[in-house]
Amino acid sequence: MSIKTLSTTPYDDQKPGTSGLRKRVTHFQQPHYVENFIQSLFDCLPGKEGQTLVIGGDGRYFNDSVIETAIRMAAANGFGKVLVGRGGILSTPAASHIIRHYGAFGGIVLSASHNPGGPDGDFGIKYNIGNGGPAPERITDAVYARSREIERYHIVEGGTVDFSGPGAFALDGMAIEVIDSIADYAALMETLFDFDAIRSLFASGFTMRFDAMHAVTGPYAREIIEGRLGAPHGTVVNGVPLPDFGGAHPDPNLVHAKELYDLLMGPDAPDFGAASDGDGDRNLIIGRNRFVTPSDSLALLAANAHLAPGYKRGLAGIARSMPTSAAADRVAEKLGIEMHETPTGWKYFGNLLDAGRVTICGEESAGTGSDHVREKDGLWAVLLWLNILAVRRQSVDAIVREHWATYGRNYYSRHDYEEVDAAAANGVMDALRARLPRLEVEGFGGRAIALADDFAYTDPVDGSVATGQGIRIGFADGSRIVFRLSGTGTVGATLRIYLERFEPPHGRHDRDTQEALADLIGLADALSDIRQKTGRAAPTVIT
Ligand code: VG1
Ligand code: CO
């Protein structure tokens, strides 16, 4: 066993996106591709010597191989200890908790989240800092810069690295501890929620289906929902994590979780349906006959959080990503607490959470979370919903309707054009950007425009600035269209169009969403000329 320093040549495409470096598995399998990125990261982490690093992933194909490489490189780069998930598995929120709980220096989280897995699927590597959250841009920028000049990497060769079962080992002087994160995570959830109340909800005959989508949340959900909360066996379906997610797309939305949706809309619907994504940080919430949009879910959770013991003292503030609907803003206003609008991606919430300025955060892409960790947390959202249902003893539908009657309804939808030609997608954005100055003055389609800009954010805690975060066009009546390019795709470009229209408390809340947004959809088409420019007649995914 010895530390080797091997020479390498740089790749020019290792720029982390919204949530780490994401590429096809085959792309990561190029010679030294993984090693280059990990060494570039380690080269940008002063003070790591002797420290603890957490390593784990969502269990997708290639997870094991990269974990072994990361452990061997951590040992060669001077880390004192590695905590690795049993079988290499850690959900993203559990990894965040483990980093915080054990006071680790940081963590490497291997995931491509909701993207498909398998040899032809996607893979991803993300670094989280000591607060448990995704590395801020100043670190990911430095890693990218380093990756473009890297000439060597350090790795321990020889010896065995086995993380299939629990235990403690050493590799060239570095300690390796294989941990089971489920108990730690479940214990954290017990500090936040009234498990007794939820147990009696299930005991009273309340029915639920949780679809783990053959992804990482299965074992956590089984332990907590069926084990500790007493839901009947079979409540959690697709609960065994598979390297290719059973060939499916582990994205909990109305397209990929259609079976769950159909069940909840059908004659044999349980009271409550939920799902989570590949790495366990997203959630889908559907009541019997009632789909809850993620933006509404954020607002509802914020308005009702005080019903759960962990939040009974109230919220310090709420933060949402810019494209997320303003439903939560109305709750913050009523509660008289801070509201923050940040760029897309959980890394922008970290400073606000660390500073104690916000308690709950959310994104329209099915992510909600709180200050208990520094990632969004799928199961946490489901448990908070269960806690609220256990206290209020009303249906999801009744709770949602009551919310709209109090705050109004933000009709909301996202239209994605996936895997379009990158040049065409950039063309759409460039043309829109060029029109911005005129739009505010002239209006569009006979409508007055109150705001037209390319979103820029100044972090109120450390003053860091993020620009070019999406084009937003706000109409005088409060409606809004946002155009943005995805930063998580692996092929071509994905263009996202976010549409929102506000209906006041006493307005009509029972309209079909696409119908209620039809005017705006037409305006978005006309403004962007998207069909012409991309050759696409319709979006690939509507959520
Ligand atoms: C998407 C979502 C964003 C989310 C990100 C990571 O990013 O829109 O809200 O934070 O995925 O989620 P983009 O750049 O493709 O729009 V996950 O569950 O992949 O870690
Ligand atoms: Co995810």
Side-chain angles (χ1 to χ4, degrees), residues 51-354:
Q51 300 276 358
T52 299
L53 182 70
V54 172
I55 304 180
D58 61 13
R60 67 179 58 225
Y61 180 83
F62 207 41
N63 198 51
D64 288 0
S65 156
V66 177
I67 287 183
E68 175 159 352
T69 302
I71 291 174
R72 291 182 175 281
M73 291 183 68
N77 279 276
F79 278 96
K81 185 176 184 177
V82 157
L83 292 175
V84 59
R86 183 174 178 175
I89 293 187
L90 286 179
S91 76
T92 292
S96 184
H97 176 54
I98 295 292
I99 293 169
R100 296 165 64 77
H101 190 61
Y102 294 100
F105 183 80
I108 293 180
V109 182
L110 305 171
S111 167
S113 190
H114 52 289
N115 298 17
D120 301 318
D122 289 345
F123 195 75
I125 306 182
K126 181 167 80 162
Y127 179 67
N128 283 24
I129 58 175
N131 74 351
E137 235 162 58
R138 79 186 139 72
I139 295 181
T140 53
D141 285 350
V143 174
Y144 176 49
R146 180 76 192 125
S147 74
R148 304 194 62 162
E149 55 191 30
I150 188 130
E151 287 170 338
R152 53 91 190 102
Y153 64 88
H154 312 298
I155 191 161
V156 170
E157 290 190 339
T160 29
V161 173
D162 178 8
F163 43 87
S164 56
F169 317 88
L171 183 73
D172 204 58
M174 183 186 77
I176 302 172
E177 199 180 322
V178 184
I179 54 167
D180 188 345
S181 66
I182 294 173
D184 281 332
Y185 179 82
L188 175 65
M189 293 300 116
E190 288 198 354
T191 66
L192 301 173
F193 303 119
D194 187 344
F195 273 43
D196 287 337
I198 304 174
R199 248 192 308 274
S200 56
L201 177 72
F202 280 118
S204 73
F206 177 88
T207 52
M208 169 179 184
R209 175 171 293 188
F210 182 92
D211 189 343
M213 303 188 92
H214 287 304
V216 75
T217 314
Y220 297 87
R222 278 198 172 149
E223 164 64 21
I224 295 174
I225 297 173
E226 295 182 0
R228 304 190 185 202
L229 294 172
H233 186 72
T235 298
V236 176
V237 298
N238 301 322
V240 178
L242 299 174
D244 68 346
F245 309 114
H249 207 128
D251 192 347
N253 63 23
L254 297 185
V255 177
H256 300 294
K258 184 156 190 315
E259 214 182 297
L260 181 71
Y261 177 81
D262 289 344
L263 175 75
L264 268 295
M265 298 300 138
D268 302 317
D271 295 301
F272 188 58
S276 58
D277 72 334
D279 61 332
D281 56 359
R282 297 188 180 200
N283 70 88
L284 172 70
I285 300 293
I286 316 178
R288 179 185 293 142
N289 285 316
R290 172 61 61 197
F291 161 63
V292 187
T293 68
S295 292
D296 275 350
S297 184
L298 171 66
L300 277 147
L301 292 180
N304 291 281
H306 62 277
L307 300 176
Y311 306 94
K312 68 169 185 289
R313 273 167 301 154
L315 310 177
I318 308 172
R320 63 163 171 84
S321 66
M322 180 274 283
T324 304
S325 96
D329 302 33
R330 297 176 193 282
V331 176
E333 200 184 332
K334 184 151 190 188
L335 294 174
I337 56 176
E338 284 188 37
M339 183 74 219
H340 295 270
E341 185 177 39
T342 60
T344 298
W346 214 260
K347 60 186 165 209
Y348 296 103
F349 294 136
N351 278 347
L352 293 167
L353 290 163
D354 284 352

Side-chain angles (χ1 to χ4, degrees), residues 320-324 329 340-343 429 432-433 435-437 439-440 449-458 468-475 479-484 496 498 500 527:
R320 63 163 171 84
S321 66
M322 180 274 283
T324 304
D329 302 33
H340 295 270
E341 185 177 39
T342 60
M429 294 300 286
L432 279 167
R433 214 169 280 121
R435 282 181 81 159
L436 287 175
L439 280 177
E440 248 179 272
I449 290 179
L451 168 90
D453 72 354
D454 193 353
F455 181 57
Y457 174 69
T458 303
Q469 298 296 321
I471 290 174
R472 39 178 199 174
I473 296 169
F475 297 91
S479 306
R480 193 175 70 143
I481 304 174
V482 173
F483 297 87
R484 207 187 134 257
R496 304 198 195 284
Y498 310 79
E500 173 177 7
L527 263 168

